[in-house]
Amino acid sequence: MTIAAVCSRAPVAISRTESVVEAARLMRKHHVGSLVVVEENAQGEKVPVGMLTDRDITISVTALALDPATITANEIMGESVVCANENAGI
């Protein structure tokens, strides 16, 4: 079985400079619990640089009573990203 058989075809992405409020809005709009955090490389392509989850928001912002409008995705995202070709085996 390939990765393509089990992956989402339409991942939702956000820039690392967007606020946590915007991240939560995107999660709600698309009914997802995680976002791919992207930035543009030298060729103008958006490349993944992190993952932001609803748990990241809960643990790093809400539980500490911080203002989500003043915190960026970059500040709380997980930075371990592994990319794989969709034709690779699971």
Side-chain angles (χ1 to χ4, degrees):
M1 181 179 285
T2 65
I3 291 173
V6 297
C7 72
S8 172
R9 290 289 180 180
V12 183
I14 191 168
S15 165
R16 44 162 93 227
T17 59
E18 290 290 338
S19 73
V20 170
V21 169
E22 181 58 24
R25 286 182 182 145
L26 280 172
M27 288 179 185
R28 179 180 166 88
K29 177 181 178 182
H30 296 281
H31 304 284
V32 296
S34 63
L35 303 171
V36 179
V37 182
V38 296
E39 71 179 9
E40 279 193 21
N41 65 14
Q43 292 77 31
E45 303 165 323
K46 291 184 178 176
V47 294
V49 294
M51 289 295 295
L52 180 64
T53 67
D54 49 5
R55 186 172 192 280
D56 294 328
I57 294 171
T58 300
I59 300 299
S60 299
V61 181
T62 308
L64 301 175
L66 300 178
D67 181 1
T70 64
I71 299 170
T72 63
N74 186 63
E75 294 177 81
I76 64 169
M77 71 180 190
E79 294 183 9
S80 291
V81 178
V82 176
C83 296
N85 186 294
E86 68 181 340
N87 296 319
I90 293 176

